[in-house]
């Protein structure tokens, strides 16, 4: 199940035809809604975003909600997705979801749908098509650098729109789902702590260009937790054209800002005087209940009338210590104006004293 660390991963809800997708643990989301250009946008809302680039754009055809690969190319991140890799290694869980339509049933290799790898023999994860079969490979401390032994399905694919989901929980139980139903389960023991942080994310091919996949992609999502069978079925019901709710996305971005920037900022500058033990000025900024006890202290959406902002802007807080930098003040202002979402039950200074901030994990 999901670890406490995962609270530091952005979550949001996507809606489509009245059905909702699950809202926690999402690391990257591609809906292929951009109809031109070489960039495939990551719609997860996480910063920095994990956008991908089509190496040979002329080998693809883009429409609103799909990307057809008509000739071999690779769609890849321009550098290793460290934010994603670190989150997956720490959770030791993964879900990779793909809506796709094969161009034919003769592809082999397997032809790569989604991969985090270096070449044809070194990977962290891959899901691909092998004729009419699906195959997945996951690197752990108990599998090979190539992610073997793999999970192979029986011939199950057709040249129709297909929903495929790979799920692996922290105990090592791995499952493949096709169109909402589990088709294969297998124990993949070991930890994902040995993942190589130099590998990049790619769609439609191996990074070396030797395992091209042909067909149409409609949606790709990656989570750092194991979706339940019920959640997988819900995503199948939601369909390939699921869209994000902008309001919920904005709220999720504000939550992420709090967890990755504001909580460390408060821990560094404020909790020495404003924690449960000291509460100078009767203010405890370590918990939501006490931080918002005075309705004027932090006014959601209005930094200009928030007492906390006023004290920080005038360098009255922190007292007798180095004031917040210009960039730190800008982050605090952004957080308050964005809704001042507070998602942690308590800010623990011990976490940030060791420099364990997710803000350093750039893509």
């Amino acid at each position: 199940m999901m670890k406490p660390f995962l609270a530091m991963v952005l979550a949001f809800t996507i809606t489509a035809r009245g059905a909702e997708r699950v809202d926690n643990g999402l690391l990257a989301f591609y809906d292929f809604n951009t109809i031109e250009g070489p960039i495939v946008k990551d719609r997860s809302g996480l910063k920095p975003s994990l956008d991908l680039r089509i190496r040979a754009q002329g080998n693809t055809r883009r429409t609103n909600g799909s990307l057809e690969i008509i000739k071999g190319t690779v769609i890849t991140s321009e550098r290793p997705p460290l934010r994603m890799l670190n989150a997956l290694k720490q959770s030791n869980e993964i879900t990779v979801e793909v809506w796709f339509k094969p161009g034919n049933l003769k592809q082999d290799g397997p032809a790569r749908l989604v991969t985090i790898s270096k070449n044809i023999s070194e990977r962290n994860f891959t899901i691909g098509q092998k004729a009419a079969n699906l195959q997945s490979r996951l690197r752990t401390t108990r599998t090979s650098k190539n992610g073997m032994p793999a999970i192979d399905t029986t011939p199950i694919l057709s040249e129709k729109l297909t929903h495929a989901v790979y799920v692996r929980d922290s105990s090592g139980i791995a499952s493949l789902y096709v169109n909402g139903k589990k088709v294969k389960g297998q124990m993949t023991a070991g930890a994902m702590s040995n993942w190589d942080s130099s590998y990049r994310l790619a769609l439609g091919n191996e990074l070396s260009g030797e395992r091209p996949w042909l067909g149409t992609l409609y949606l790709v999502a990656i989570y750092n937790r194991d979706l339940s069978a019920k959640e997988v079925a819900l995503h199948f019901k939601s369909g390939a054209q699921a869209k994000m709710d902008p309001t919920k996305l904005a709220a999720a971005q504000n939550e992420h800002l709090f967890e990755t920037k504001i909580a460390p900022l408060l821990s560094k500058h404020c909790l020495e005087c404003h924690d449960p033990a000291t509460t100078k000025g009767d203010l405890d900024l370590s918990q939501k209940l006490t931080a918002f006890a005075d309705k004027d202290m932090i006014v959601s959406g209005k930094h200009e009338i928030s007492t906390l902002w006023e004290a920080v802007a005038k360098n009255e807080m922190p007292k007798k210590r180095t004031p917040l930098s210009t960039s730190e003040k800008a982050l605090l202002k952004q957080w308050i104006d964005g809704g001042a979402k507070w998602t942690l039950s308590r800010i623990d200074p011990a976490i940030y004293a060791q420099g364990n901030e997710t803000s350093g994990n750039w893509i």
Side-chain angles (χ1 to χ4, degrees):
M1 299 305 292
M2 193 169 61
K3 310 289 187 296
F5 169 83
L6 303 189
M8 305 187 81
V9 178
L10 178 63
F12 66 84
T13 300
I14 309 163
T15 59
R17 299 197 301 270
E20 288 195 348
R21 293 173 58 91
V22 295
D23 63 354
N24 59 329
L26 188 70
L27 296 176
F29 183 82
Y30 305 98
D31 59 9
F32 306 100
N33 275 347
T34 303
I35 62 174
E36 57 186 23
I39 303 302
V40 175
K41 299 292 292 182
D42 170 20
R43 311 286 186 183
S44 70
L46 283 164
K47 302 297 181 183
S49 62
L50 180 48
D51 296 341
L52 307 177
R53 178 177 290 274
I54 306 170
R55 280 188 185 169
Q57 190 181 349
N59 293 352
T60 64
R61 183 180 296 117
R62 307 192 71 168
T63 60
N64 188 11
S66 71
L67 172 64
E68 184 182 6
I69 303 173
I70 54 180
K71 191 177 180 180
T73 185
V74 61
I75 302 144
T76 178
S77 59
E78 298 196 63
R79 56 185 64 89
L82 296 183
R83 166 176 58 76
M84 173 184 289
L85 295 175
N86 290 342
L88 290 167
K89 286 194 286 185
Q90 290 200 41
S91 70
N92 200 37
E93 298 178 350
I94 184 173
T95 296
V96 178
E97 175 185 12
V98 194
W99 277 98
F100 68 102
K101 183 163 64 175
N104 63 72
L105 300 180
K106 298 179 181 179
Q107 306 186 66
D108 202 1
R112 304 326 193 216
L113 285 163
V114 181
T115 190
I116 304 172
S117 51
K118 179 181 180 180
N119 51 43
I120 61 173
S121 58
E122 297 174 277
R123 75 199 59 265
N124 293 331
F125 173 81
T126 292
I127 184 169
Q129 178 188 344
K130 187 176 181 181
N133 299 33
L134 272 178
Q135 184 184 103
S136 62
R137 302 179 186 178
L138 180 76
R139 179 179 181 177
T140 74
T141 53
R142 298 283 297 277
T143 64
S144 74
K145 288 185 178 181
N146 199 16
M148 303 296 280
I151 298 180
D152 278 293
T153 70
T154 58
I156 197 170
L157 299 179
S158 66
E159 294 180 34
K160 296 180 180 179
L161 180 63
T162 302
H163 181 235
V165 183
Y166 172 88
V167 176
R168 192 260 192 182
D169 70 17
S170 58
S171 71
I173 298 174
S175 304
L176 273 173
Y177 294 82
V178 174
N179 296 335
K181 298 180 179 180
K182 183 175 177 177
V183 295
K184 189 69 181 285
Q186 182 172 302
M187 175 60 70
T188 305
M192 293 158 58
S193 56
N194 66 337
W195 275 30
D196 193 312
S197 294
S198 70
Y199 295 171
R200 288 186 283 163
L201 171 66
L203 310 178
N205 206 338
E206 191 54 71
L207 272 293
S208 56
E210 299 170 82
R211 294 292 185 269
W213 179 83
L214 303 181
T216 304
L217 295 169
Y218 297 88
L219 184 153
V220 173
I222 300 173
Y223 294 78
N224 64 341
R225 71 177 186 90
D226 59 318
L227 296 192
S228 68
K230 184 177 179 180
E231 290 170 327
V232 172
L234 179 65
H235 282 198
F236 177 59
K237 180 181 178 182
S238 296
Q241 300 299 324
K243 307 299 178 186
M244 292 185 295
D245 184 321
T247 301
K248 292 178 179 178
L249 176 57
Q253 289 173 330
N254 191 258
E255 292 173 357
H256 182 63
L257 178 63
F258 172 75
E259 293 169 355
T260 59
K261 302 289 185 179
I262 302 305
L265 184 155
L266 294 176
S267 176
K268 176 182 178 181
H269 293 289
C270 305
L271 296 193
E272 183 175 336
C273 298
H274 302 287
D275 67 359
T278 53
T279 60
K280 286 188 178 180
D282 294 323
L283 176 62
D284 177 3
L285 289 173
S286 68
Q287 304 174 69
K288 181 178 182 179
L289 183 64
T290 52
F292 287 85
D294 179 348
K295 62 181 179 63
D296 295 325
M297 182 56 60
I298 304 172
V299 182
S300 175
K302 298 180 179 179
H303 77 276
E304 66 277 5
I305 61 173
S306 297
T307 304
L308 178 63
W309 168 257
E310 183 180 354
V312 167
K314 293 179 178 179
N315 294 332
E316 295 173 355
M317 280 183 66
K319 225 170 207 180
K320 298 180 182 179
R321 292 183 60 186
T322 305
L324 272 67
S325 66
T326 300
S327 60
E328 287 173 323
K329 289 178 181 178
L331 288 170
L332 182 62
K333 178 181 176 182
Q334 179 186 347
W335 173 65
I336 295 174
D337 287 344
K341 302 294 183 183
W342 189 299
T343 57
L344 303 180
S345 58
R346 176 175 172 268
I347 298 175
D348 183 358
I351 293 175
Y352 306 106
Q354 303 304 318
N356 295 329
E357 297 180 30
T358 60
S359 57
N361 298 330
W362 293 93
I363 290 173

